[in-house]
Every structure is written in C-alpha cells, then in structure tokens.
Amino acid sequence: MLHRHHECCAGFGRGAFALPGTQRKYERSLPFEFRHVHLALEVHPHEGLVTGSASWQFERRSQNATTLELDAVGFQIDKLELKSGKSWTPLEYEYDSESLSITIAPDCTAGELRITYKARPKRGLYFLAPDEHYKKRPFQVWSQCQDEDARHWFPCHDKPHVKTTASFEIKVPDGLLVLCNGVLTKEQKDARRNKHTFHYSMAQRMPSYLFTLVVGQFARVQDRPARLQSGREIPIEYWVPKGKETDAKRGFDRTAEMIELFSRLTGVEYPYERYTQIVVSDFIFGGMENTSATTMYEHVLLDETAAIDIESYDLVAHELAHQWFGDWVTCKDWAHAWLNEGFA
C-alpha cells in the first residue's frame, strides 16, 4: 500500500522524459479564446449515458479565423447553436467523432456556443455497478480526465494551456449526491420525476483535465476550516462511503493544518473557496488533484489496526500541494508535467 500511495497522479510514470533531439511540439493555436463553460447534463448511472449540453463563451483572437475547433470523442451531436446577441441560431459544423469543427462568421467577435449531445464515454467518465464478481460494488460515476480524457464526456479544448471558469448543472436520480469543482450554489428536487439537480460554480480558471464530476451515495464529514493569515476560512469536507466516517477523520484529519502550512510556505494562500476530498470505489490511481475537489482511492482510508503501521498523510499532502503546483500554476503542455509532480 505504501508503494501504491506514490503512484498517485494520472500519467505519473507512464514513460521516460523526451530524448535528446526530440522536436518541440508547440501548443495548438487558439484563434478563439474560451472564457467560460456551462455544463447542463443529466447523468444516467444505470445506462452509462450522459445527455445535455455544453455552452462555451468565446472571444475572437484572430481576424481571419473562420473555424473554431473542440475535442469531442464518440458523441451524438443533436444540435449546435450560436448566441450572438439575444437569439440562438443554428451553425454549420463538421464532426468526425473526434473533433468538432464549427464555422464562425468573420464578423462574429464574441458569442456563446451551445452543443446539445449524448455520450456513452469509454474513458474520462466511469460508471460503476455491481456485477457477478463484485456484487457489493456501489453504483457510482466518477471522472478521471488527465491527460486528455475530458473530451470523452464534454466537448472542450482538451489541452492544459487553456483555462476557463465553469459552472455545472448536473441532474441525477434522487438519492444520489453530486460533487463538482467550486462551490455548491443551489439544489433542486423534482419529486414528480424523482430527480435531483445540483448547481456548482467555479470562479477560478482551470484546464479541462482538472474538471471533476462524481455521483454516488456518500457520507459527508465536515472538519474544522483552514484559517489563513488574511482571515479567510476554507471549508473542508471529506466524502466517503457510508460507515467510513471514523476512518475519514483518521486519514484526513491534518488537512486544515496542511492548507495553513502550504499557504505560509509558498507565500500564496490556498487559491480556492473550499477543499473536498472524496473517496470513490475502484479508482484507477491513488489520487487526482481536481481543482478544489481531490478524488482518492479506497486505500487512503485506514482502520484502527492498519493505522498502527502506516498513515495516509503522504498522499493527502501530495494531492493538496497540486492545488498550487498543477492547478493554480499549470504547465503549458504535457512535456512539462514532471514539474507538476516534482513540486508536489
């Protein structure tokens, strides 16, 4: 387990550094700047399906550009519209099941694109359910986007050099909780349809690989807030499988202290409005530093006997450090991902 704790972040240890003579691969050009995305999605846990829309606010950078491109793998595109002013109008586009190329008129300097679609993600968003081999597996949905797997569940410019603000409107069957980046701003229950919608807002910019979406049944454990020198207080929560609340406190109980320490050591206060650590089933890495909401594997939770010999603070500290190194300051491309890991 101690060894696995250090295999914590996606992409870590996948290959060697570039060899001498390797040509520099520059970031994809951005003739349009992406400002904000709103994801209005319904998650269908039993069907492995996501339906809804992604709305991108953009501004023109290049006078001559006529095409805006988004990464989108395996989607069924139902509708694509542009809002420039007050009304929505259909747009021409080409889609090859990997890239969405959208025609933008030369006189359009800014606007909002709304892509209505369906997706059954094969990567990026994972659907868990019981089966004959694991009958007690919970129904869960969780994302894991690093390196470039966000494109499997929402259309985006799936590169680390593009950072945007975001908002989420996620509808799920009643009885399930939803965690996204940022702060929870509103909840809506539809008793007639047995649905529950969670609204989140992320005010700070982030790249697509740090977007998070988790759906499931969890116990929510509140710890003391981190108290920063400016007077800010950072709310802290741990979302864990029900019945694991005591283990959560045992593994995560120094989180507030770490936030306070890292804020002092870096000279930059924790940048976000809250910090949540969520433990999911069958996670493919030890942890993933999604902005403001880290996803953890089950082995971070230690019972009283295991805690005699080992602790989880190394993984907790590493993923938290990424909130500064990787999240707040992000590499331009994946050739520099070793900086994220090295600093953390």
Side-chain angles (χ1 to χ4, degrees), residues 116-135:
T116 304
Y117 66 97
K118 299 181 181 69
R120 296 184 184 274
K122 294 183 179 180
R123 299 176 64 93
L125 194 66
Y126 299 86
F127 293 77
L128 273 61
D131 60 30
E132 59 179 322
H133 303 292
Y134 188 0
K135 295 180 180 180

Side-chain angles (χ1 to χ4, degrees), residues 27 30 42 44 60 66 94 97-98 113 119 137 139 151 154 166 251 287 293-294 301 303 317-318 323-324:
E27 300 78 39
L30 280 171
E42 181 168 356
H44 307 266
R60 176 180 291 277
T66 58
E94 294 183 0
S97 201
E98 290 188 0
L113 286 172
R137 179 185 286 120
F139 282 102
R151 63 184 71 189
F154 70 96
T294 289
L301 298 176
D303 62 24
H318 179 100
Q323 299 296 317
W324 284 263

Side-chain angles (χ1 to χ4, degrees), residues 250-268:
R250 185 180 294 112
F252 298 137
D253 64 343
R254 300 189 70 180
T255 299
E257 181 184 349
M258 292 178 188
I259 291 176
E260 293 160 355
L261 174 64
F262 293 175
S263 296
R264 293 196 302 271
L265 289 177
T266 62
V268 176

Side-chain angles (χ1 to χ4, degrees), residues 228-248:
L228 306 182
Q229 291 179 326
S230 67
R232 290 174 60 216
E233 290 195 349
I234 307 300
I236 294 172
E237 283 193 344
Y238 318 132
W239 292 30
V240 297
K242 292 180 178 180
K244 296 290 185 179
E245 293 89 337
T246 300
D247 294 347

Side-chain angles (χ1 to χ4, degrees), residues 20-224:
T22 300
Q23 290 188 351
R24 172 81 162 85
K25 184 177 180 180
Y26 290 93
E27 300 78 39
R28 186 194 303 169
S29 62
L30 280 171
F32 297 91
E33 180 179 1
F34 298 100
R35 309 287 295 179
H36 179 85
V37 62
H38 178 70
L39 298 180
L41 302 176
E42 181 168 356
V43 181
H44 307 266
H46 298 275
E47 301 172 50
L49 177 68
V50 175
T51 61
S53 65
S55 299
W56 280 101
Q57 295 175 14
F58 68 92
E59 293 181 6
R60 176 180 291 277
R61 278 184 171 180
S62 169
Q63 295 274 340
N64 302 319
T66 58
T67 303
L68 184 153
E69 291 192 1
L70 292 170
D71 300 302
V73 176
F75 292 1
Q76 176 185 318
I77 307 295
D78 295 328
K79 193 187 304 183
L80 200 153
E81 304 165 285
L82 171 69
K83 185 178 183 181
S84 184
K86 295 184 178 180
S87 59
W88 293 93
T89 56
L91 280 187
E92 292 185 5
Y93 66 92
E94 294 183 0
Y95 181 52
D96 62 3
S97 201
E98 290 188 0
S99 180
L100 187 59
S101 299
I102 304 160
T103 302
I104 304 294
D107 60 349
C108 178
T109 58
E112 182 176 355
L113 286 172
R114 184 168 64 194
I115 304 117
T116 304
Y117 66 97
K118 299 181 181 69
R120 296 184 184 274
K122 294 183 179 180
R123 299 176 64 93
L125 194 66
Y126 299 86
F127 293 77
L128 273 61
D131 60 30
E132 59 179 322
H133 303 292
Y134 188 0
K135 295 180 180 180
K136 293 185 178 180
R137 179 185 286 120
F139 282 102
Q140 282 183 4
V141 182
W142 45 258
S143 62
Q144 172 52 49
C145 299
Q146 191 177 354
D147 297 341
E148 296 177 359
D149 287 347
R151 63 184 71 189
H152 290 266
W153 64 278
F154 70 96
C156 57
H157 187 100
D158 205 7
K159 298 290 182 180
H161 68 290
V162 172
K163 300 173 85 169
T164 68
T165 57
S167 52
F168 304 84
E169 181 182 339
I170 309 297
K171 183 180 295 184
V172 296
D174 198 18
L176 299 178
L177 295 176
V178 172
L179 179 65
C180 295
N181 311 88
V183 295
L184 180 66
T185 58
K186 184 171 64 173
E187 294 183 44
Q188 296 171 299
K189 282 195 173 187
D190 184 345
R192 184 177 59 84
R193 296 185 60 213
N194 199 31
K195 300 289 184 180
H196 196 155
T197 304
F198 296 80
H199 298 253
Y200 282 84
S201 176
M202 184 67 198
Q204 293 84 10
R205 298 168 69 207
M206 60 181 179
S208 58
Y209 84 92
L210 294 173
F211 277 58
T212 189
L213 170 60
V214 181
V215 179
Q217 293 182 327
F218 298 95
R220 298 172 60 176
V221 179
Q222 287 190 334
D223 204 342
R224 76 162 179 91

